[in-house]
Amino acid sequence: MAEFDLIAQYFTRQAAVDLGVGDDAALVSVRPGYQLAVSADMSVSGTHFFAEAQPFAIGWKSMAVNISDMAAMGAEPKWATLSIALPGVDHPWLRQFSDGLFACADAFEVALIGGDTTRGPLNIAINILGEVPRGQALQRNGARAGEDIWVSGCLGQAALWLQNRLGHLPLHADDIAMLATAMHHPQPRVRLGLALRGMASAALDISDGLLADLDHILQASRVGAELDWRALPLPRLQTPIEEETMQKAVLAGGDDYELCFTAAPQHREALLALSQQLNLPLSRIGKTTASPGLTVMNGNVALDIAKKGYQHFG
Amino acid sequence: MAEFDLIAQYFTRQAAVDLGVGDDAALVSVRPGYQLAVSADMSVSGTHFFAEAQPFAIGWKSMAVNISDMAAMGAEPKWATLSIALPGVDHPWLRQFSDGLFACADAFEVALIGGDTTRGPLNIAINILGEVPRGQALQRNGARAGEDIWVSGCLGQAALWLQNRLGHLPLHADDIAMLATAMHHPQPRVRLGLALRGMASAALDISDGLLADLDHILQASRVGAELDWRALPLPRLQTPIEEETMQKAVLAGGDDYELCFTAAPQHREALLALSQQLNLPLSRIGKTTASPGLTVMNGNVALDIAKKGYQHFG
């Protein structure tokens, strides 16, 4: 089967672009007054997902993690390219993968405008493009001391699922099902990111764990932070979980794809109203400090947070 | 070693962008009156290059094949993202790879603005962005019957190098050196692509072999073509090559990264002047026809061209 047939069969849809799949490049138009936001994420079998993972979930998540980067910038996701290496032509796999990919792309109005299909160990590389009004992007370097630190949704679910999957953490079946949904079908917080323009002073999405990712904001903004463990949004499970296990998952687990952002205290009311409006929990988990460093307080006791987050080449 | 250290050490340079590597996304500005051209190409060890290939050459070529897509559109290449899966952290390899990647990017004034580094079988996914004045892109669907068909440079060099490398074609050492340069350091024809705006009616770059790629123009433009084998630009080698071998390499070899384009006969003089100006051979190799199909004439004899070109999943 020819490369072009695979693209035509699985990865081509009508899209509202100037020129779509099928030429040397696609052509799109960026609106006047907007900047183009550009990001790329690669998903590898065995590193980002298990080889036996559902292809629909692989497709959804590969696209979702890219869209999440647009959310973190306050950008409107618009266009994506897909480069995929496949060990062979497995039609049922391709059908489910492309269904998952397009389910996510369609949910967030992203058009797949091009890419590449080739033979090789399974690898999914997506590049995403979005638009943001000039000067309004949510960057990492705008936090100031004395601001609130917020996170969306709830943290640690994907990490707990992984601990269960690896056999380290027995869980009730209902818990596994809930955590699996968080792991395999993350919901990029695009509406939140758009609404945070003009309110958040810094923002990012949590992919490597709250502490590791928050540290990027602190480094870029040259501030410190003190978090309140008791304010963190924990997964609500039927299975009792040891506190140590829960702390690792919530603080350093990663794969959350929730937004972490800073905002001046004056925005508290507006953010709580926004939480209602989006039907999405927003938790105020701490504050930025003039002195550098990152501490997590559990009442009067500082947690030992030596393990900062998942590192690909650790 | 952390993912962020690898990016900082090997893949971060100052670039003239609104916001470069280090946030959730890069920000760039597309000039008013321009469309954004978007393309992606993935290079896999064992499929696109030999595992023992020089890392400098892998870096150069991974970038070059993407820039070539911009050339084929008549677009000015501007920005690229790199997503790379690495089996481990091999510093000498990374140094040479990034040197090769940036050597090519710098030569064509492309800024690397983001990407992803992860663990996995070696895989290099690049997404390239360029600018083209609105409505002036060189597409595949604009050819009309009675136009000239042109190619730049010389064809078949990479394919002959591959035949030698696989042990099928003994060659003089000087020939091998020349062909290796064509294979490993293709020169994207960006200046040609820009100059062809307003002259070429259709264009693409030759990656899968002249016949297979030209066929895309013919299908998209709904015309046929008759090529003159004797007009094709063959490699000049010291080693005598059988005509059958040469025909396969030139017509179906692929990996040429020369431009193939159509233009009305009125542009002949201007194209020959352009060839002089760019110091780049431009060969008029045939003409488009109203009747569909693709034939290659060797004098009065039509060549048997059943083998149309390399297919990744053939």
Side-chain angles (χ1 to χ4, degrees), chain A residues 219-283:
Chain A
Q219 299 289 339
S221 300
R222 303 189 182 188
V223 294
E226 184 177 310
L227 301 185
D228 175 6
W229 166 252
R230 296 175 186 178
L232 281 159
L234 311 188
R236 291 187 193 165
L237 301 180
Q238 296 180 32
T239 321
I241 306 287
E242 284 183 13
E243 191 159 54
E244 175 77 14
T245 301
M246 186 62 93
Q247 286 174 357
K248 273 192 185 168
V250 169
L251 297 173
D255 248 1
D256 296 301
Y257 303 103
E258 296 294 347
L259 297 192
C260 173
F261 59 95
T262 54
Q266 73 197 64
H267 295 300
R268 283 179 193 172
E269 259 185 66
L271 287 166
L272 294 175
L274 179 63
S275 170
Q276 292 281 330
Q277 185 196 325
L278 299 180
N279 192 25
L280 173 67
L282 294 180
S283 303

Side-chain angles (χ1 to χ4, degrees), chain B:
Chain B
M1 165 165 285
E3 176 190 5
F4 280 85
D5 299 333
L6 288 181
I7 290 173
Q9 189 170 352
Y10 294 108
F11 301 115
T12 305
R13 291 207 189 163
Q14 288 298 329
V17 296
D18 300 346
L19 180 66
V21 171
D23 214 301
D24 294 288
L27 296 173
V28 300
S29 296
V30 177
R31 285 173 285 179
Y34 283 73
Q35 287 169 297
L36 185 74
V38 184
S39 182
D41 262 304
M42 180 174 258
S43 300
V44 179
S45 181
T47 302
H48 298 88
F49 51 85
F50 291 97
E52 78 279 11
Q54 293 294 320
F56 185 97
I58 297 173
W60 174 282
K61 190 164 178 176
S62 301
M63 181 59 73
V65 302
N66 277 278
I67 293 175
S68 182
D69 282 319
M70 295 294 101
M73 293 300 283
E76 202 175 323
K78 296 288 295 262
W79 309 289
T81 60
L82 165 72
S83 292
I84 183 167
L86 297 165
V89 180
D90 176 341
H91 286 287
W93 191 96
L94 277 162
R95 169 51 53 211
Q96 293 170 55
F97 171 81
S98 75
D99 282 351
L101 185 89
F102 279 114
C104 186
D106 292 348
F108 295 93
E109 299 180 63
V110 170
L112 190 70
I113 60 172
D116 194 13
T117 308
T118 189
R119 186 183 288 279
L122 182 59
N123 184 312
I124 301 144
I126 292 180
N127 189 89
I128 192 147
L129 304 172
E131 289 178 313
V132 59
R134 179 167 306 284
Q136 293 188 35
L138 307 175
Q139 300 184 197
R140 297 178 173 186
N141 61 358
R144 298 185 178 195
E147 292 185 327
D148 297 326
I149 302 172
W150 298 77
V151 293
S152 62
C154 117
L155 302 181
Q157 295 185 107
L160 291 174
W161 179 88
L162 184 62
Q163 288 304 306
N164 174 263
R165 169 65 181 72
L166 295 173
H168 305 325
L169 183 67
L171 291 172
H172 285 298
D174 289 353
D175 289 342
I176 297 173
M178 186 188 79
L179 299 178
T181 300
M183 177 71 182
H184 297 306
H185 299 281
Q187 299 291 326
R189 302 307 186 188
V190 173
R191 293 176 66 201
L192 174 61
L194 298 180
L196 289 178
R197 290 177 191 157
M199 273 203 284
S201 56
L204 45 63
D205 69 326
I206 303 171
S207 54
D208 294 331
L210 171 63
L211 298 188
D213 284 320
L214 174 57
D215 195 50
H216 297 315
I217 288 181
L218 304 184
Q219 299 288 340
S221 301
R222 303 188 182 188
V223 294
E226 184 178 312
L227 301 185
D228 175 6
W229 165 252
R230 296 175 187 177
L232 280 159
L234 312 188
R236 290 187 194 166
L237 301 180
Q238 296 180 31
T239 321
I241 307 286
E242 284 183 14
E243 191 160 53
E244 176 76 15
T245 302
M246 186 62 93
Q247 286 174 358
K248 274 193 184 167
V250 169
L251 296 174
D255 248 0
D256 296 300
Y257 302 104
E258 297 294 346
L259 297 191
C260 175
F261 58 95
T262 54
Q266 73 196 64
H267 295 300
R268 283 180 193 173
E269 257 184 67
L271 286 166
L272 294 174
L274 179 62
S275 170
Q276 292 280 330
Q277 185 197 325
L278 299 179
N279 193 26
L280 174 67
L282 295 179
S283 303
R284 184 156 57 83
I285 62 169
K287 56 179 196 265
T288 54
T289 58
S291 56
L294 175 52
T295 57
V296 184
M297 300 302 294
N298 188 3
N300 291 325
V301 183
L303 297 183
D304 176 8
I305 55 168
K307 173 164 173 22
K308 280 261 199 112
Y310 175 71
Q311 298 287 16
H312 292 301
F313 293 94

Side-chain angles (χ1 to χ4, degrees), chain A residues 169-226:
Chain A
L169 183 67
L171 292 171
H172 286 300
D174 288 354
D175 290 341
I176 297 173
M178 185 190 78
L179 299 177
T181 299
M183 175 71 180
H184 296 306
H185 299 281
Q187 298 290 327
R189 302 307 187 188
V190 172
R191 292 176 66 201
L192 174 60
L194 298 180
L196 289 178
R197 291 177 191 160
M199 272 203 284
S201 55
L204 46 61
D205 68 326
I206 303 172
S207 54
D208 294 331
L210 172 64
L211 298 188
D213 284 319
L214 174 58
D215 195 49
H216 297 316
I217 287 181
L218 304 183
Q219 299 289 339
S221 300
R222 303 189 182 188
V223 294
E226 184 177 310

